[in-house]
Amino acid sequence: MSRKLFCWGNQPASDHWQEFLTQRAGRYVEIQAGLAKTQYGCLPMPPHSEWEWVEQYGLVQLDPALLKETHRRRYETIEDQLAAEGAVEAMERLLKDTASMARRKARLVCPGSAAGALARRGEASAHLEFCCEDQSGKDWAAFLESGVLHCPALTSARTASWRTRRACVS
């Protein structure tokens, strides 16, 4: 598990941005967590594996005196506070209760790209929707299926700017 501390900075512009985002709720820092040791770390996902998690965002307030304590002590205090509130158990229940949602078809808000449609492989992404509706996507899909690369006529509008730079070989 990793941790990353994110804060807005200490310049006037940072203060104004934070005020805008928090509706003047006051100064804050954001602690982000993840599976890898750092945000820049790489944690390879083995083939045919699935990782599921639930994220929660919320306010945690500490006694200012605790800021003089060690990181371990602050960590334990927050863990104890979350345990006392039943937050961990609630998150585990939520993960279990929503497990089927990850594979259920949802309302399409924004279709994936043609590149996503072309890269989609295997059962893990079969429930995702991608669009390959533009001509470029259709051309690349046909190439992957047939092995024949589409070569438009040199007079077509799509290739007009390429006329002097490339020629199609039949």
Side-chain angles (χ1 to χ4, degrees), residues 83-120:
E85 294 170 2
V88 175
E89 293 81 8
M91 294 296 287
E92 290 294 337
R93 268 193 316 279
L94 183 61
L95 180 61
K96 183 180 176 189
D97 293 346
T98 60
S100 66
M101 184 174 64
R103 297 291 177 144
R104 191 172 60 227
K105 185 174 175 128
R107 179 179 60 88
L108 181 62
V109 175
C110 180
S113 68
L118 297 172
R120 181 172 59 190

Side-chain angles (χ1 to χ4, degrees), residues 5 10 19 26 28 30 38 46 48 59 66 89 94-95 114 119 153 161:
L5 175 66
N10 58 5
E19 288 170 3
Y28 82 100
E30 188 174 309
T38 69
H48 311 292
L59 176 65
L66 198 57
E89 293 81 8
L94 183 61
L95 180 61
S161 64

Side-chain angles (χ1 to χ4, degrees), residues 109-170:
V109 175
C110 180
S113 68
L118 297 172
R120 181 172 59 190
R121 300 284 186 270
E123 190 177 311
S125 63
H127 66 293
L128 301 176
E129 291 185 56
F130 295 92
C131 287
C132 220
E133 294 176 358
D134 67 347
Q135 191 56 48
S136 177
K138 291 176 183 176
D139 292 345
W140 281 109
F143 169 68
L144 292 175
E145 291 172 14
S146 68
V148 177
L149 185 59
H150 173 73
C151 186
L154 290 177
T155 58
S156 75
R158 283 183 25 188
T159 59
S161 64
W162 290 57
R163 283 187 193 150
T164 59
R165 290 186 243 152
R166 81 171 176 91
C168 294
V169 179
S170 300

